[in-house]
Amino acid sequence: MSELLSVSNLKVQFRSRDTVATAVDDMSLVVNKGECVGLVGESGCGKTTTGLAIMRLLPGTGKIVGGNVVLDGVDLASLSEKEMQRQRGRSIALVPQDPMSSLNPTTKIGRQIGEGMRIHFGVGEEEARKRALEVLEMVEMPRPSERLDQYPFELSGGLRQRVIIAMGLVCSPTLLIADEPTTALDVTIQAQILDILDNLRKDLGMAMLLITHDMGVIAGRADRVVVMYAGKKAEEASTFDLFNSMRHPYTQALLASMPNLENTTKHRLASIAGMPPALTKEIVACRFAPRCAYATDQCRSEDPPMTLEGGHAFACFHPTDGPLPVVLVAASPATSVTSAATSGVTKTELVRAVGLVKEFEVKGGLIRHKVGAIHAVSNVSFSLTEGETFGLVGESGCGKTTIGRMLVGLEPLTSGEIFFDNKLVSARGHKPSRADRRDRQMMFQDPYSSLDPRMKVAQIIGEPLAVQGDGDKVQQRDRVYELLASVGLDRGAADRYPHEFSGGQRQRIGFARALALNPRLIVADEPVSALDVSVQAQILNLMKELQREHRLSYVMVSHDLAVIYYMADTIAVMYLGKIVELGDAESVFRSPAHPYTQGLLDAVPVPDPARARQRRGFQVHGELPSALHPPSGCRFRTRCPKAQELCSVEEPLLRSFAATQEAACHFPLKTPVTVGSKI
């Protein structure tokens, strides 16, 4: 392969009034023509800054202070801003992380996509529109001609991401920088977007720098991988070499931190202790040494040089030799559904949901009368036993978060009933008492917006105690210290504000608040979706440890199937407000009965290059239909590869496929054992 992009000794600094932070330090990498290079690492490691520096799109406080960025013989770092504008979009393009903030909400899609053609080639409106339609077809946009005259807010997240990719491709660049192109998307849409990028790269002979924190995405797409830590390159190798025989302890720890559906056993996730170093001070030692299990005095006093073994480069005095061995998880007091059924163990039912329905009115017209309803949850029933984790999975908009909010009393029911410890706690017109609520607590998805920025941590965690009148102020303060210790934070955290903590630490604070009243049930709504894999592992391990200590029950809401498999005993797969499959984790994930479940599993990125590149069977195409007008019959039929006429006229009921597994499908993937219905 011939070299297309060469980054040599790149150094980027951000200056504020009092400090200078070196975000990228002595970074070098090469991208060859037609090649996909993955750039991975934790948040703050410098990978996005590297991409922005290559594009010369650093914010005002950022500046390239050293090194070269050469694209096809042109040193981008030395160009004037006017000269660089002629390169952006034409020879090099960027697919940014957040499509909503990157698109102009006041301009139609067709005009935004065609802008690059008008600027770089001086074409007219008609020709630019024609090219916009071509690239929308290239990115497999449904009904592309209609989208040209739509605005960004009229499109879903997956469709907006297609628009952003189309904008990057409109001038046929030789290099595409994709910065976390699928991070906010459901696993099915993520798979579609990644396939589109992969196919376009091969069809157009385009090179790609793929920036992501997801090692599974890298395993299936990249030819080579560059691992960054604290602004520096830690390791570089071909994808197969990196995953099978990584040499840097940081790479080893990143891979071991990931829950993995391919594992035949659930093992304790390896987590990386501590935090990355502050980049405002000069670091002369190995940057990973404070968090490394192999560190010696040499590592703490010297910066390891880059060592080259064949095509494998790494910066470490004590290199590893491949992945960490698997460590099995200690047995949980919450016996799995399968073992309980086969051993005759009687378990105490904690929660029973019967016929849950939630509809949100849609109003319109001059007098704002009801014109329809969003069918968020439609006749859902399930039960949860004490000490068990119940997983709710499905795409965004399927109703999982709504069910979680209904369980803790944050969302009123349209109809149905919720029983907690055999006591009715939720129904239409039923108002639970304050005492009823204390046993059911919520752990929110976003650790940034769910904590009051004006309150200190002691007030945040102690607020439930004050509301319920538990103890005097001294006792409440002691309880706050106890809770901080239980989630791995010291007493000093009590007198600090949320903005002084990292995302993982904030999630621990939210967990401590949820534990304040000694609840029996915690609904965890996407508790690790915003976290790096290393921090995610810490939170998941902590949740399991506290579950064993306090015999907690969890309802775990997530679109990440690997996280749900690691945590859950029982799993409900939801689609457009309905449960389509329900059962113990092993049965649902190892032998699914519903095509939708199989499609979700086949779309999960696998952190194993050999398996990730095997073409898997069921692919869920298209977007989730509107919950305002759900399809007749089976709601999944519009996206199902097995759908037939019956699916459009008759709604399937749950049938048994094993002692602890049910699915609602007319044409399931395996034979039912009995005929019956539950919902």
Side-chain angles (χ1 to χ4, degrees):
M1 288 187 181
S2 56
E3 188 176 286
L4 176 65
L5 173 72
S6 175
V7 178
S8 305
N9 309 114
L10 179 67
K11 189 171 185 177
V12 178
Q13 290 182 338
F14 289 88
R15 294 180 178 272
S16 65
R17 181 179 298 178
D18 303 317
T19 61
V20 176
T22 305
V24 177
D25 192 2
D26 196 29
M27 180 65 184
S28 298
L29 63 86
V30 169
V31 181
N32 296 312
K33 291 181 179 178
E35 183 182 38
C36 178
V37 174
L39 188 59
V40 299
E42 293 173 285
S43 296
C45 72
K47 52 189 193 299
T48 293
T49 300
T50 299
L52 292 176
I54 294 170
M55 291 290 298
R56 294 275 305 278
L57 288 174
L58 291 168
T61 57
K63 186 177 180 181
I64 297 174
V65 295
N68 299 305
V69 179
V70 179
L71 178 69
D72 211 9
V74 178
D75 186 0
L76 303 183
S78 65
L79 297 181
S80 67
E81 178 57 28
K82 190 172 183 179
E83 291 171 328
M84 189 64 208
Q85 287 175 1
R86 288 195 284 268
Q87 297 288 333
R88 289 193 206 105
R90 185 166 184 172
S91 59
I92 181 171
L94 175 70
V95 176
Q97 181 171 347
D98 182 5
M100 196 59 191
S101 63
S102 305
L103 294 171
N104 187 335
T106 65
T107 305
K108 291 179 179 179
I109 295 301
R111 183 164 180 78
Q112 291 194 60
I113 295 174
E115 185 178 25
M117 291 294 291
R118 295 193 301 273
I119 291 173
H120 290 295
F121 298 102
V123 303
E125 290 289 338
E126 186 175 341
E127 191 172 345
R129 185 180 174 88
K130 182 179 177 181
R131 176 59 178 164
L133 179 60
E134 286 178 7
V135 290
L136 281 180
E137 290 171 345
M138 288 168 60
V139 299
E140 301 176 19
M141 174 71 81
R143 306 190 307 277
S145 57
E146 294 178 25
R147 309 299 181 186
L148 293 173
D149 294 313
Q150 289 184 317
Y151 291 93
F153 68 86
E154 298 180 83
L155 305 181
S156 68
L159 296 185
R160 285 196 292 264
Q161 197 65 27
R162 283 174 164 83
V163 172
I164 287 290
I165 295 170
M167 290 175 69
L169 296 174
V170 71
C171 295
S172 303
T174 54
L175 175 66
L176 186 69
I177 298 177
D179 183 13
E180 299 277 12
T182 60
T183 190
L185 302 179
D186 289 312
V187 65
T188 51
I189 307 302
Q190 172 179 281
Q192 294 175 36
I193 297 298
L194 291 172
D195 282 343
I196 288 168
L197 286 171
D198 226 17
N199 294 335
L200 288 171
R201 180 174 65 86
K202 293 169 183 174
D203 293 344
L204 303 176
M206 179 177 63
M208 184 163 67
L209 181 62
L210 179 58
I211 300 171
T212 180
H213 68 273
D214 192 328
M215 298 290 277
V217 168
I218 289 293
R221 312 289 169 172
D223 300 305
R224 283 187 299 112
V225 186
V226 177
V227 181
M228 288 189 73
Y229 182 76
K232 297 198 77 169
K233 180 165 71 175
E235 186 166 9
E236 180 179 0
S238 71
T239 305
F240 283 86
D241 281 350
L242 188 95
F243 278 81
N244 296 317
S245 56
M246 71 279 292
R247 303 292 279 151
H248 201 287
Y250 177 60
T251 310
Q252 185 188 59
L254 273 183
L255 190 61
S257 298
M258 291 187 66
N260 187 354
L261 285 174
E262 299 293 311
N263 292 330
T264 55
T265 56
K266 295 186 183 182
H267 64 278
R268 180 178 175 80
L269 300 174
S271 59
I272 308 174
M275 297 292 296
L279 300 178
T280 54
K281 300 177 181 178
E282 185 180 3
I283 305 171
V284 294
C286 172
R287 300 182 177 210
F288 188 58
R291 307 173 72 190
C292 181
Y294 309 102
T296 62
D297 289 341
Q298 182 185 22
C299 307
R300 300 181 187 97
S301 59
E302 299 177 34
D303 189 9
M306 192 63 67
T307 302
L308 190 62
E309 292 182 354
H312 200 142
F314 54 90
C316 184
F317 292 122
H318 309 288
T320 62
D321 189 19
L324 281 171
V326 169
V327 179
L328 297 183
V329 176
S332 168
T335 312
S336 72
V337 175
T338 305
S339 60
T342 55
S343 64
V345 175
T346 302
K347 300 182 71 177
T348 304
E349 183 182 76
L350 183 67
V351 176
R352 183 167 80 257
V354 182
L356 298 186
V357 174
K358 181 62 184 180
E359 296 180 352
F360 296 94
E361 288 188 358
V362 177
K363 296 184 178 181
L366 291 175
I367 59 173
R368 304 298 295 166
H369 63 284
K370 181 179 177 180
V371 296
I374 295 173
H375 304 274
V377 179
S378 302
N379 198 23
V380 166
S381 300
F382 61 88
S383 63
L384 166 66
T385 55
E386 191 173 15
E388 178 188 5
T389 298
F390 185 87
L392 280 170
V393 298
E395 295 170 285
S396 297
C398 72
K400 0 179 248 305
T401 293
T402 302
I403 287 179
R405 292 176 63 85
M406 292 161 76
L407 288 175
V408 297
L410 290 177
E411 198 71 65
L413 282 61
T414 302
S415 65
E417 298 172 322
I418 297 173
F419 295 87
F420 187 86
D421 207 9
N422 288 320
K423 179 183 178 182
L424 179 66
V425 293
S426 244
R428 186 177 179 85
H430 177 85
K431 292 185 178 180
S433 67
R434 184 175 290 174
D436 286 339
R437 295 175 183 271
R438 64 181 299 143
D439 281 334
R440 297 170 290 143
Q441 297 294 319
M442 190 90 175
M443 187 175 174
F444 294 96
Q445 176 176 356
D446 186 356
Y448 294 84
S449 62
S450 60
L451 302 178
D452 191 328
R454 298 163 298 180
M455 295 171 66
K456 290 184 178 180
V457 168
Q459 296 171 287
I460 291 170
I461 297 175
E463 187 177 34
L465 300 170
V467 169
Q468 293 283 348
D470 279 15
D472 57 28
K473 290 188 176 181
V474 174
Q475 290 171 322
Q476 290 174 8
R477 185 79 175 188
D478 289 342
R479 176 63 175 152
V480 168
Y481 290 148
E482 180 186 329
L483 289 164
L484 286 171
S486 71
V487 298
L489 295 173
D490 60 40
R491 287 190 170 204
D495 295 315
R496 295 160 63 191
Y497 289 94
H499 74 268
E500 299 179 71
F501 297 90
S502 68
Q505 289 171 323
R506 270 181 271 213
Q507 198 60 285
R508 288 171 185 261
I509 293 167
F511 196 12
R513 179 187 166 98
L515 291 170
L517 298 173
N518 293 314
R520 298 170 64 189
L521 172 70
I522 291 180
V523 175
D525 183 15
E526 300 275 11
V528 295
S529 63
L531 306 178
D532 286 313
V533 290
S534 56
V535 181
Q536 170 183 285
Q538 295 174 20
I539 299 299
L540 294 178
N541 287 338
L542 175 64
M543 290 179 71
K544 275 189 170 285
E545 289 163 9
L546 291 175
Q547 182 176 40
R548 287 193 291 269
E549 290 175 17
H550 302 285
R551 197 163 175 75
L552 289 168
S553 296
Y554 293 129
V555 172
M556 189 87 169
V557 175
S558 181
H559 68 271
D560 190 325
L561 275 73
V563 166
I564 288 292
Y565 174 67
Y566 176 71
M567 290 293 296
D569 302 291
T570 303
I571 291 170
V573 181
M574 292 195 66
Y575 185 81
L576 211 60
K578 292 240 175 215
I579 290 180
V580 297
E581 187 156 2
L582 175 67
D584 68 277
E586 291 299 324
S587 296
V588 171
F589 279 1
R590 299 302 178 201
S591 181
H594 200 284
Y596 180 59
T597 308
Q598 186 66 64
L600 288 178
L601 292 169
D602 285 347
V604 175
V606 180
D608 180 328
R611 293 183 181 180
R613 291 161 202 248
Q614 294 172 356
R615 201 65 192 169
R616 289 178 273 181
F618 278 87
Q619 287 189 295
V620 180
H621 291 287
E623 301 279 319
L624 197 72
S626 169
L628 187 62
H629 302 291
S632 62
C634 173
R635 297 188 177 190
F636 182 58
R637 66 177 174 81
T638 57
R639 302 168 75 192
C640 181
K642 293 173 70 68
Q644 299 182 34
E645 181 65 25
L646 175 65
C647 304
S648 65
V649 296
E650 184 178 324
E651 182 180 342
L653 302 175
L654 284 177
R655 295 184 286 170
S656 296
F657 290 84
T660 56
Q661 182 182 15
E662 297 174 303
C665 183
H666 292 304
F667 304 100
L669 304 179
K670 59 185 187 180
T671 305
V673 293
T674 59
V675 178
S677 65
K678 189 160 186 174
I679 293 183

